[in-house]
Amino acid sequence: DTGVSQNPRHKITKRGQNVTFRCDPISEHNRLYWYRQTLGQGPEFLTYFQNEAQLEKSRLLSDRFSAERPKGSFSTLEIQRTEQGDSAMYLCASSLGGNAQPQHFGDGTRLSIL
Amino acid sequence: AQSVAQPEDQVNVAEGNPLTVKCTYSVSGNPYLFWYVQYPNRGLQFLLKYITGDNLVKGSYGFEAEFNKSQTSFHLKKPSALVSDSALYFCAVRDREAAGNKLTFGGGTRVLVKP
């Protein structure tokens, strides 16, 4: 069990640029989740995949956000035309099937918009 | 809808003393409840969960939590706190009858254990 891996750990970009983050889940986990966490707050749900299917998206996920999990393994989260308000920690988690299974989190990608 | 409240922004405790972090929840149906801990610049680390059965749940690092359905609470406890327990603690809930699979987190409680 190598844990959930996220890259990059930090991303600094100018407003208006596009950014992409990658998440590699625990290998046997078929469920993958993205959350956003701002300073001093709890994580907020963004989206959820079961295998390659994106089954749920939050209203927080505006048109500028897109997530993929093309082969049911790793996932990418892209933000287009970044805005100041996108500055946050983006957390990825994975779990086995079943709603009672705990989600296991990566260390996140911290996005800073200049 | 599901929600979590952690009424204390910060809890201060002396090393060796008991530690309690409070959590109350709201769901339409029955809950799955989770506690996570977060250290600086790290992701959330799973501590324990309540699914069904015994109201007292034991987890990692000597932590336990008590589920109280009538008070809709799931308080985290540790009999003897360590300085290394200083971190940010999050309670989370999922309504087991609801469609979807998201966790809803509380705002977090910062625990400071003083030597």
Side-chain angles (χ1 to χ4, degrees):
Chain A
D1 181 348
T2 58
V4 178
S5 176
Q6 292 190 247
N7 288 288
R9 290 296 313 279
H10 300 96
K11 180 70 177 178
I12 301 173
T13 192
K14 294 182 179 179
R15 183 166 52 92
Q17 297 295 305
N18 298 345
V19 293
T20 300
F21 312 140
R22 177 179 170 122
C23 171
D24 288 89
I26 294 171
S27 58
E28 62 267 30
H29 287 183
N30 62 344
R31 294 185 174 186
L32 187 146
Y33 315 80
W34 285 98
Y35 290 83
R36 181 172 69 187
Q37 185 180 23
T38 52
L39 205 60
Q41 302 296 319
E44 296 173 293
F45 172 80
L46 293 177
T47 190
Y48 148 61
F49 291 85
Q50 181 155 314
N51 300 313
E52 65 275 11
Q54 189 174 19
L55 298 184
E56 190 174 356
K57 292 197 291 186
S58 163
R59 290 172 296 172
L60 292 175
L61 217 63
S62 74
D63 292 345
R64 296 184 298 105
F65 288 70
S66 62
E68 294 182 342
R69 193 182 184 199
K71 296 182 179 179
S73 56
F74 74 91
S75 175
T76 58
L77 178 67
E78 181 182 16
I79 309 175
Q80 296 182 327
R81 305 181 302 282
T82 52
E83 302 174 356
Q84 290 283 351
D86 296 333
S87 294
M89 175 79 89
Y90 290 85
L91 294 167
C92 176
S94 69
S95 76
L96 294 168
N99 289 350
Q101 294 291 337
Q103 296 176 19
H104 297 270
F105 285 78
D107 285 338
T109 294
R110 182 169 295 283
L111 175 63
S112 298
I113 307 297
L114 301 177
Chain B
Q2 54 193 39
S3 65
V4 175
Q6 293 181 241
E8 300 157 316
D9 289 337
Q10 182 159 324
V11 169
N12 298 320
V13 63
E15 188 175 31
N17 282 3
L19 169 64
T20 298
V21 186
K22 295 179 180 177
C23 169
T24 59
Y25 67 90
S26 175
V27 295
S28 302
N30 292 302
Y32 293 131
L33 292 155
F34 303 84
W35 274 103
Y36 287 85
V37 61
Q38 186 176 34
Y39 295 96
N41 298 312
R42 301 298 300 275
L44 278 69
Q45 184 175 337
F46 170 70
L47 284 178
L48 51 79
K49 66 180 179 181
Y50 170 80
I51 302 173
T52 188
D54 195 347
N55 289 342
L56 185 64
V57 178
K58 294 189 182 296
S60 306
Y61 312 116
F63 284 95
E64 59 189 29
E66 187 167 11
F67 172 66
N68 188 317
K69 187 172 184 176
S70 63
Q71 296 185 2
T72 61
S73 67
F74 189 56
H75 301 328
L76 181 70
K77 300 180 181 183
K78 187 171 184 179
S80 178
L82 301 173
V83 172
S84 57
D85 293 329
S86 298
L88 196 54
Y89 290 80
F90 291 98
C91 181
V93 69
R94 177 190 291 143
D95 185 339
R96 70 173 74 184
E97 279 87 25
N101 206 43
K102 68 175 185 179
L103 283 176
T104 297
F105 287 85
T109 298
R110 187 167 301 281
V111 170
L112 181 60
V113 182
K114 297 181 180 178

